[in-house]
Amino acid sequence: MNLNELFDLSGKVALVTGAQRGIGKAMAIALAEAGADIIGVSASMPLQGSELEKEVTALGRKFKAYQADFSNRQSLYAFIQKVKAENPVIDILINNAGSILRKPAAEHPDAYWDQIIEINQNAQFVLSREIGKEMIGRGSGKIIFTASLLTFQGGINVPGYAASKGAIGSLTKALANEWAGKGVNVNAIAPGYIATDNTTALRADPDRNTAILSRIPAGRWGTPEDFTGATIFLASAASDYVHGTILTVDGGWMGR
């Protein structure tokens, strides 16, 4: 297999959660550029005419849109049933959907905790299990989680988010341990500080923004497009011997 073939995703179908904007959208476009057809899902994804659909189809790839509320288990299972019925083969699963709610731990209400754990942790496991069992049956598949720097660190004022992302790191390794020998690669990408909706509050706070930038060796906030290479690597044959890895895309933050 030559270099181009290693990264070629022609004929593959990729399901990307949280695909409407930010990192998820950039991942979906990258996969389409590499040749994959895209299934995009988010809570508010337009079923027709989204910007993502336009960009994917402009590349000559197929696109299907779905809506699902990952904070609601009934909505999640309804989505899984529908997407599996309409797409018998899903080769690549990008578990990117996530949310964050900020409040100090001593004031962090049950509702905040429950919502974040349901979206960021529980839904990720259920979806991976249900799509993953089909991959196991075929003997091939790629699953990529979006982890976080808070997979390794505790963060401030986001205990639910930190707990959920710590769990994603362990879940990545747990699934890899069970499924690597069955032809399914399970890995994760841990974004650093990226200019997305989730970090608007941090970037708007002069003190926090300055403190964060001063620690990033690359000297800038990341962009969603910085995930193109890592996504294609972990979704393609180039990573066939990579299992249970959490790949940081962080401008050097974790090496500081």
Side-chain angles (χ1 to χ4, degrees), residues 136-157:
I136 291 169
R138 294 192 306 272
S140 67
K142 303 278 186 173
I143 298 176
I144 304 170
F145 290 94
T146 297
S148 169
L149 293 182
L150 299 197
T151 300
F152 312 101
Q153 301 173 325
I156 300 170
N157 296 333

Side-chain angles (χ1 to χ4, degrees), residues 148-156 158-159 161-166 191-193 215 250 253-256:
S148 169
L149 293 182
L150 299 197
T151 300
F152 312 101
Q153 301 173 325
I156 300 170
V158 288
Y161 183 84
S164 71
K165 292 301 184 176
Y193 284 91
R215 176 171 164 163
D250 65 353
W253 176 280
M254 288 301 298
R256 192 66 175 257

Side-chain angles (χ1 to χ4, degrees), residues 69-233:
D69 178 1
F70 282 11
S71 71
N72 181 295
R73 195 68 63 91
Q74 185 176 356
S75 174
L76 173 63
Y77 274 112
F79 161 68
I80 292 171
Q81 182 178 20
K82 183 176 176 63
V83 78
K84 288 176 66 173
E86 295 178 355
N87 306 274
V89 176
I90 296 172
D91 302 287
I92 302 160
L93 171 62
I94 308 291
N95 278 312
N96 173 72
S99 188
I100 189 167
L101 292 172
R102 302 177 186 277
K103 195 171 279 289
E107 305 165 19
H108 210 78
D110 288 1
Y112 275 28
W113 177 273
D114 292 344
Q115 181 176 337
I116 296 304
I117 295 298
E118 191 64 30
I119 295 171
N120 294 8
Q121 178 179 328
N122 296 345
Q124 311 299 320
F125 170 69
V126 172
L127 185 57
S128 298
R129 182 190 66 205
E130 296 304 309
I131 301 299
K133 67 176 63 174
E134 306 298 333
M135 293 177 173
I136 291 169
R138 294 192 306 272
S140 67
K142 303 278 186 173
I143 298 176
I144 304 170
F145 290 94
T146 297
S148 169
L149 293 182
L150 299 197
T151 300
F152 312 101
Q153 301 173 325
I156 300 170
N157 296 333
V158 288
Y161 183 84
S164 71
K165 292 301 184 176
I168 288 300
S170 292
L171 180 59
T172 298
K173 296 173 185 178
L175 296 183
N177 287 344
E178 294 191 35
W179 296 353
K182 300 176 181 179
V184 180
N185 296 75
V186 184
N187 293 288
I189 298 172
Y193 284 91
I194 312 300
T196 65
D197 292 349
N198 277 357
T199 60
T200 299
L202 292 178
R203 287 180 286 121
D205 183 327
D207 292 335
R208 291 284 282 136
N209 185 55
T210 299
I212 288 166
L213 283 174
S214 69
R215 176 171 164 163
I216 301 173
R220 66 172 176 86
W221 287 76
T223 69
E225 290 71 30
D226 287 320
F227 293 86
T228 295
T231 301
I232 300 307
F233 170 62

Side-chain angles (χ1 to χ4, degrees), residues 7 9 12-41 45 52-53 55-56 59 61-63 92-98 124 142-148 165 168 187-192 194 196 223-236 245-249:
F7 294 95
L9 299 179
K12 302 295 186 181
V13 175
L15 168 56
V16 183
T17 72
Q20 187 176 357
R21 59 183 182 270
I23 293 172
K25 182 181 178 184
M27 287 175 157
I29 292 169
L31 292 164
E33 289 176 335
D37 294 326
I38 305 299
I39 301 167
V41 57
M45 174 71 73
L52 177 58
E53 178 180 1
E55 293 189 54
V56 169
L59 293 166
R61 314 303 174 203
K62 297 176 182 176
F63 179 81
I92 302 160
L93 171 62
I94 308 291
N95 278 312
N96 173 72
Q124 311 299 320
K142 303 278 186 173
I143 298 176
I144 304 170
F145 290 94
T146 297
S148 169
K165 292 301 184 176
I168 288 300
N187 293 288
I189 298 172
I194 312 300
T196 65
T223 69
E225 290 71 30
D226 287 320
F227 293 86
T228 295
T231 301
I232 300 307
F233 170 62
L234 291 178
S236 69
T245 289
I246 303 170
L247 175 59
T248 55
V249 179

